[in-house]
Amino acid sequence: MEFKLIKSDLKKPILWFGSITLSLIVISSIVLLSIPLETKTKITLVCQINLNFVLFYLVCLTTNLNKTSVSLFYNMEVITNTETNEKQLNVIKGRFFYYFILIFSIGAFFIELTSGSLISKVSWAENAKSNWWVFFILMFINLIYLYLFFEISRYLMSQNEEFKKSYLNFINNPPKKEVKSQD
């Protein structure tokens, strides 16, 4: 089974979400800069939110570029029809899928909340009291962003017929390894 068969399918969501990230950066910058807030607060929020979008895009980029991360987030399920002995391949979410999305989004929420207090040189509690809602909304955007990214990648992999045939062929005819005896 070759990873090259799905590599082109895994590059499509990277390009699509790159344009989504750019538009989210532009929209959030325009909205935040037009809100009547203190200039220092506006600049801090714009920088934090733009860095958040870039970070999440880079994480998505790295998760779709190598075989190890793809095998971590997606599992292959082979269903065999007992009457016809026909096999069908389904690409399903791996068990680390939801754990990764939740832990990474919640971790980013708290990192952004604490970094704002370091930038503004105020206490963590003061910053959390005034800006928690911005980062809470951002956490939900991050959850949706990651979920859609992984779901679109899974869908594109499951629609690749050449990959399915190659994987089923690999399952039916596993490569044989020769073991040399030491004499």
Side-chain angles (χ1 to χ4, degrees):
M1 200 224 22
E2 293 185 22
F3 183 68
K4 294 175 188 172
L5 294 175
I6 58 170
K7 197 161 188 156
S8 63
D9 290 332
L10 294 176
K11 286 183 181 179
K12 290 176 187 175
I14 291 171
L15 294 173
W16 297 340
F17 277 79
S19 62
I20 289 171
T21 301
L22 182 63
S23 51
L24 283 173
I25 286 172
V26 169
I27 291 169
S28 66
S29 297
I30 290 170
V31 168
L32 286 172
L33 292 173
S34 65
I35 292 177
L37 291 173
E38 193 177 306
T39 305
K40 186 176 181 180
T41 308
K42 284 184 191 180
I43 293 171
T44 303
L45 287 175
V46 167
C47 290
Q48 284 180 294
I49 290 173
N50 289 347
L51 284 174
N52 169 71
F53 288 137
V54 170
L55 172 72
F56 272 76
Y57 175 69
L58 291 176
V59 166
C60 290
L61 180 77
T62 57
T63 57
N64 260 19
L65 288 182
N66 60 17
K67 194 185 310 184
T68 306
S69 60
V70 169
S71 63
L72 185 66
F73 293 115
Y74 309 105
N75 292 334
M76 306 304 158
E77 178 183 62
V78 179
I79 299 172
T80 306
N81 187 345
T82 55
E83 295 173 359
T84 62
N85 205 20
E86 183 179 311
K87 294 185 179 184
Q88 179 183 3
L89 177 71
N90 292 331
V91 180
I92 58 173
K93 294 175 263 198
R95 60 182 157 167
F96 297 111
F97 178 79
Y98 290 112
Y99 297 137
F100 176 76
I101 290 174
L102 286 174
I103 290 171
F104 194 69
S105 296
I106 292 170
F109 169 75
F110 284 109
I111 289 170
E112 290 157 0
L113 203 56
T114 56
S115 67
S117 64
L118 293 173
I119 294 169
S120 304
K121 296 184 180 168
V122 295
S123 72
W124 184 84
E126 287 179 35
N127 188 52
K129 192 186 327 178
S130 63
N131 295 329
W132 69 271
W133 59 275
V134 174
F135 299 116
F136 197 67
I137 292 169
L138 188 61
M139 183 180 71
F140 281 111
I141 292 171
N142 291 339
L143 285 168
I144 293 167
Y145 184 92
L146 286 175
Y147 183 80
L148 285 176
F149 180 81
F150 286 119
E151 279 296 316
I152 288 172
S153 297
R154 184 191 64 79
Y155 174 76
L156 290 173
M157 282 185 354
S158 67
Q159 295 302 313
N160 189 334
E161 293 298 325
E162 188 178 352
F163 167 70
K164 286 181 175 181
K165 288 176 186 174
S166 173
Y167 191 85
L168 289 173
N169 188 29
F170 178 77
I171 296 294
N172 292 332
N173 307 316
K176 296 183 173 43
K177 294 184 180 179
E178 289 186 25
V179 178
K180 295 182 180 181
S181 62
Q182 295 178 351
D183 292 342

